Amino acid sequence: QVQLAESGGGSVQDGGSLRLSCEYSGDTDGSYSMGWFRQVPDTEREGVAAIDTIGRTFYADSVKGRFTISRDNVKNTLYLQMNSLKPEDTATYYCAADLAWTPLLVGTAKYRGQGAQVTVSS
């Protein structure tokens, strides 16, 4: 079992920045890939970014060049630095963990947090 807890959501204006954090605990022996996905009500989940155990990363085309994912395995924390935010980035962002890679890319990871709301106003 893996427990995930997001923090850092909020409201910003178009072009602003936010950093999401996700503290993870439980059966975390460094073997889990981790990521972020987002969801707007009545729409499908979108995998935003993912990072594996050796630091390889994935980004959705919609966030490339603006978002950066990183992890600190000493602090057991996953981060998502979001710059140049746009109104279309408004969503609930979820931290996720899985032993497999693909579920992180499509928002179906085995473990996920409760979500953090990000609102970007124009």
Side-chain angles (χ1 to χ4, degrees):
Q1 292 285 335
V2 176
Q3 292 79 46
L4 306 167
E6 303 96 338
S7 61
S11 298
V12 295
Q13 291 192 325
D14 192 355
S17 297
L18 283 173
R19 187 175 80 159
L20 299 178
S21 299
C22 172
E23 292 188 25
Y24 49 91
S25 60
D27 190 17
T28 55
D29 60 355
S31 59
Y32 283 86
S33 293
M34 302 192 70
W36 298 89
F37 69 90
R38 63 189 181 187
Q39 190 167 23
V40 176
D42 299 323
T43 66
E44 292 187 356
R45 297 174 185 177
E46 178 188 14
V48 173
I51 185 167
D52 70 7
T53 57
I54 58 173
R56 292 177 297 187
T57 57
F58 155 84
Y59 294 97
D61 288 343
S62 57
V63 306
K64 279 181 182 176
R66 301 188 298 121
F67 289 13
T68 303
I69 189 171
S70 61
R71 65 191 292 175
D72 184 331
N73 289 332
V74 174
K75 295 182 178 180
N76 282 3
T77 304
L78 178 74
Y79 302 99
L80 185 68
Q81 178 66 43
M82 304 183 291
N83 298 327
S84 302
L85 282 161
K86 305 174 182 180
E88 51 264 43
D89 293 318
T90 295
T92 301
Y93 285 71
Y94 297 88
C95 174
D98 203 298
L99 292 173
W101 184 243
T102 300
L104 292 167
L105 310 185
V106 296
T108 60
K110 183 175 182 180
Y111 300 105
R112 71 173 192 180
Q114 293 298 308
Q117 179 65 36
V118 172
T119 302
V120 185
S121 57
S122 57

